[in-house]
Structure formats: C-alpha cells, structure tokens
Amino acid sequence: MQTVAQPPSLSDAEIEKIRQDFPILDQKVHGHPLVYLDNAATSQKPRVVIQSLVNYYERDNANVHRGIHELSNRASAAYEATRTRAAKFLNAKSEDEIIFTRGTTESINLVAASWASQNLKAGDRILLTEMEHHSNIVPWQLLCERIGTKLSYLPVTGDEGLLDLARLDEFLTSDVKLFAFTHISNTLGTVNPVEELCEKARARGIVTLVDAAQSAGHRVVDVQKIGCDFLALSGHKMCGPTGVGILYGRMEQLKRMSPYQGGGDMISDVDFFKSAWNKIPYKFEAGTPNIADVIALATAMDYLDQIGRDKIAAHDMELAAYAYERLSTLSGIRLFGPAKGRAGVTSFLLKDVHAHDVVTFADQRGVALRGGHHCNQPLMKKLKVSSTSRASFYFYNTQAEVDRLVEVLAEIQKFFTA
Ligand SMILES: Cc1ncc(COP(=O)(O)O)c(C=O)c1O
C-alpha cells in the first residue's frame, strides 16, 4: 500500500520554545494560566514584532516618500521593503501588486469602491457564499445600493459547513462579473478549494476576490497558484500589529481602477480643478500611511517563515482534528463545520447553555473563547442559531490547552444542568 507523506508539524519542544516568544501568553487570568483560543479574532504578537515597533519609533520615525533627510529615507526604505517582502510572502509577480490598507475589511471596500464602481454596471451580479464574513457582504450591498448590481450566494450545505460545489455551475450565470469568497471560514473552519473556484470563474471571464483573513498567517498563500485577481488579508491575524493589511491585486485589474481616496501621495500633479494620479500602487494609498505597523508586518512575515508556514498549517490541522475529536466526546454538543480537513477554528453549542454563558464561564477559568455571531449573521440565520461559542487555534496552542478547554466545558455543562 502506498503511504501518503504527512507534512511536518511542530514538535512539543518547538511549541514550548515558540511560546517563549510571546510574552502575553505567560500570565494568569482570574487565577488560572491563560489559554488563549481567540486567534480567529486576533493573534498574539511575538516579541520581535513588538520590538520592531519600538525600534521604529525610537530610531527611525519620520514621514515616508516626502523627506530627503536621513530618518525619512530610512522610514521610506523600510516601508517599501515590506512591499517587496509581502510580494514574496504571497508570491505576487511584482511588489507593485501590493497595496497597504488597514486590513481585510478596507481591502474589500477598496475593490468595491474602486474596481467594482468602475467596471460593473446596473444588472451585473456579484456571487458570494453563505459563509462570508460581514466584511465580504456589506461592501457589496452598499455597491448594489449605489449602482444597481445584484447579489447571489453559493449555498452552504448545513452544519457540516461545506460549500455546495455541486451547484457552483448553476450559480456562475452569465451576469456574474465578480466571485468573492473566503479561503477559510471564521465560524466553520472550512477550507475552501480556492484554486478550483478561481479556475471555474476564470474560465467564464469572472473576476475573483479571495478573503484570506483566516488563511494568510496559517498556510502558504500563493496568489499565482490560487489564480485570483484580488486577495485581502489582515496583519493582526498573522502575528502583525492591528491597523495594517494588504490588498493584492493582479496588475491587469489594478490598471482598470480609479483611485480609492484622494489626498497626499496618490497624486503626481495637482491643479486647482484637476489632478493626475501617481503610479500604481501609490495611486491607491492616500495620505500618511500606517508606517510603523507596515514595517512590523514584514517582521511578522519573517517570523512566520522562520517557523515554516507548512509546519504551521500542519499543526493547525492536527490541533483542529484533535479538538473536534475531543469535543465530540461531550454529550449534548453541537459542532459546526466539517469533521475532516478542517482549519483551527471550531464553533459549537452546548445544549441548554447560551454561548455567552459558555464564554463568560470559560473566562473565569482563564480560557479565552469567543461567543456571538462572529460577523456571520447570515450564516447563523441559515443554520438557525443566533450565536455559537468558538475556539480558534494558532501554532502556539497545545493539545494540553485543548484538553483544558474540554475539561472546562464539561464543568460548564455540570454547572448549568445541575
Ligand atoms: C473571514 C474574515 N474576513 C474578514 C474579516 C475582517 O477582518 P478585519 O476586521 O481585520 O478587517 C475577518 C475578521 O475576523 C474574517 O475572519
């Protein structure tokens, strides 16, 4: 029998060493060791990233692209070096395809405001999926109100949380001009076949946007291999600071886009009544950018690559499978998302206990979870629930922490059913 080679994961010793890079993890919450399982909301930051921010403000702080003094040159060089680093991280053809934004939300809004406003017209359709985050729904609703485009949604199958791919052809109708979908679901842990989705869309001349908020820091995300036109990510979910993200845009599409916002840096010449735009990508970055956080994002990318994104992905999948198996042993638990091949995001409901009670109780035991609709209200409505509890993992989480989660959930069940 042929054996399939498993990707290398992280050893216990490696995780122990990694945890020492995260000062925040070494603390007690309500008298218990912190078990941080809210990584889908935001990841923790390694010391090197925090230090990168301190170094910038202590040594190099100046505005970029404008000064000719030493500090401004240093700041500009480091800022632009992140663009090159990000292009390599995503395997973009050119650093000119990297636009810095505030995060995934702003990246998607940029495409809606700029590409879609310019290239779509009333009656054109945008295809989304039922598992999209509000950030990949509301910008399109606003666009529909503005220019009269229409939306449709590729269905999710149910609690097992897969896209109904058998129906994809039916939804890729001739009026669909853009297909925007998430790589990994932030509620279900589903890993969507992004390459296949992009290929099907491309064959019909449909432009694609991938929401990589939950994937970019968790696995290798190669925009050329995926074959997407746009890809959006948030730095804060991949060990970087808050307030910085990336929009990758295929050059062919960026050339078809008007500016997003007006102001400094995005112009080449301004007259009283008319202006000319700077070259791509600066055309899409108006005003003083988030310099320090952009620079620290490069440090985060270096850090992730030093660990190895293949190893991070393998650890994610291992821990997710372990959590699913352990959680399944609890009676009266309803688990959402696929049983197999899932990413490190697990949503569940305990019978007769509200998600907020689960999260509040768990917090008293030092376990940080998330409860609510996770910015997936349409998906919640489809699943006929108002909220779920969610545990989400990263490479610094251990099986022992999953065991602790299960122990606390068993305690919660006992407490609420006694
Ligand atoms: C799948 C997905 N898309 C988009 C976002 C929005 O990210 P941000 O708030 O960083 O812009 C999130 C955040 O949780 C997410 O999980």
Side-chain angles (χ1 to χ4, degrees):
M1 204 175 78
Q2 206 183 354
T3 52
V4 181
Q6 292 297 315
S9 184
L10 292 164
S11 67
D12 290 349
E14 279 175 302
I15 299 171
E16 200 41 56
K17 195 159 166 284
I18 283 168
R19 288 180 69 87
Q20 287 163 23
D21 294 336
F22 291 81
I24 203 167
L25 295 178
D26 184 22
Q27 64 172 294
K28 288 195 167 171
V29 169
H30 302 304
H32 299 274
L34 169 66
V35 176
Y36 185 78
L37 301 180
D38 194 17
N39 294 285
T42 199
S43 75
Q44 297 302 348
K45 323 299 171 200
R47 198 175 277 107
V48 283
V49 168
I50 300 166
Q51 196 55 49
S52 167
L53 293 169
V54 173
N55 290 348
Y56 170 75
Y57 283 120
E58 285 191 352
R59 300 202 303 240
D60 302 328
N61 177 49
N63 213 328
V64 289
H65 302 151
R66 293 168 198 188
I68 4 174
H69 58 80
E70 170 64 15
L71 296 193
S72 177
N73 289 340
R74 270 192 235 152
S76 302
Y79 181 83
E80 288 307 320
T82 303
R83 208 184 296 280
T84 311
R85 180 68 185 89
K88 190 163 165 240
F89 191 80
L90 297 172
N91 194 29
K93 270 193 188 149
S94 156
E95 61 263 30
D96 293 342
E97 295 179 319
I98 303 296
I99 299 162
F100 294 119
T101 63
R102 284 192 295 125
T104 305
T105 303
E106 188 175 43
S107 297
I108 297 174
N109 274 278
L110 197 165
V111 177
S114 175
W115 181 87
S117 296
Q118 181 133 343
N119 294 284
L120 301 186
K121 57 180 187 325
D124 284 345
R125 190 175 291 279
I126 296 157
L127 177 61
L128 306 172
T129 84
E130 284 181 344
M131 65 170 75
E132 296 313 310
H133 188 278
H134 296 168
S135 295
N136 198 26
I137 295 177
V138 184
W140 307 117
Q141 292 176 344
L142 291 170
L143 181 81
C144 291
E145 277 176 24
R146 235 174 23 245
I147 69 167
T149 42
K150 296 181 193 153
L151 296 181
S152 45
Y153 290 86
L154 183 65
V156 166
T157 49
D159 279 14
E160 77 276 27
L162 296 170
L163 288 180
D164 196 348
L165 294 176
R167 296 188 63 192
L168 180 58
D169 286 341
E170 181 193 322
F171 278 85
L172 289 173
T173 46
S174 60
D175 54 351
V176 172
K177 298 291 184 281
L178 176 73
F179 184 18
F181 48 87
T182 193
H183 191 172
I184 292 179
S185 161
N186 62 303
T187 287
L188 304 163
T190 314
V191 184
N192 288 323
V194 280
E195 288 174 38
E196 185 188 328
L197 298 180
C198 287
E199 197 184 327
K200 287 222 163 188
R202 196 168 50 248
R204 291 164 170 81
I206 298 168
V207 170
T208 48
L209 182 151
V210 175
D211 174 348
Q214 295 295 340
S215 60
H218 290 258
R219 53 183 56 220
V220 173
V221 167
D222 178 331
V223 290
Q224 293 192 62
K225 194 154 171 258
I226 291 172
C228 53
D229 291 288
F230 296 104
L231 184 133
L233 64 84
S234 298
H236 71 96
K237 293 185 197 285
M238 46 182 279
C239 293
T242 49
V244 59
I246 286 174
L247 172 66
Y248 156 80
R250 190 195 291 271
M251 186 50 72
E252 176 196 335
Q253 299 301 342
L254 295 181
K255 284 184 179 161
R256 300 170 68 200
M257 285 164 61
S258 49
Y260 168 50
Q261 294 177 328
D265 247 27
M266 50 71 73
I267 47 82
S268 63
D269 187 66
V270 178
D271 212 332
F272 281 115
F273 298 102
K274 198 161 169 48
S275 300
W277 315 134
N278 202 343
K279 60 182 185 152
I280 296 168
Y282 311 107
K283 176 178 168 181
F284 305 109
E285 292 177 9
T288 299
N290 189 355
I291 307 165
D293 295 320
V294 165
I295 293 170
L297 181 58
T299 311
M301 289 174 175
D302 288 344
Y303 182 80
L304 293 175
D305 275 341
Q306 218 178 314
I307 294 171
R309 279 182 279 161
D310 280 336
K311 278 190 169 187
I312 292 173
H315 176 70
D316 250 29
M317 305 291 277
E318 247 175 48
L319 210 53
Y322 182 70
Y324 194 89
E325 185 192 313
R326 289 296 325 273
L327 289 166
S328 304
T329 62
L330 294 169
S331 64
I333 193 167
R334 179 175 168 194
L335 281 160
F336 298 90
K340 292 206 160 39
R342 54 180 18 258
V345 180
T346 308
S347 281
F348 56 90
L349 280 175
L350 293 184
K351 192 164 176 278
D352 301 329
V353 192
H354 193 280
H356 286 155
D357 290 333
V358 170
V359 175
T360 306
F361 193 110
D363 175 56
Q364 290 303 309
R365 298 291 182 269
V367 180
L369 301 174
R370 182 97 157 181
H373 54 61
H374 317 298
C375 295
N376 277 137
Q377 271 184 319
L379 176 68
M380 296 284 144
K381 286 174 191 161
K382 156 98 184 193
L383 298 174
K384 298 195 167 40
V385 296
S386 59
S387 58
T388 69
S389 303
R390 181 181 76 184
S392 51
F393 313 106
Y394 212 3
F395 53 84
Y396 39 69
N397 290 125
T398 62
Q399 290 201 350
E401 289 182 310
V402 173
D403 293 340
R404 174 69 181 143
L405 166 69
V406 174
E407 186 180 276
V408 168
L409 293 180
E411 197 188 341
I412 291 171
Q413 282 185 318
K414 220 165 137 194
F415 180 85
F416 282 95
T417 52

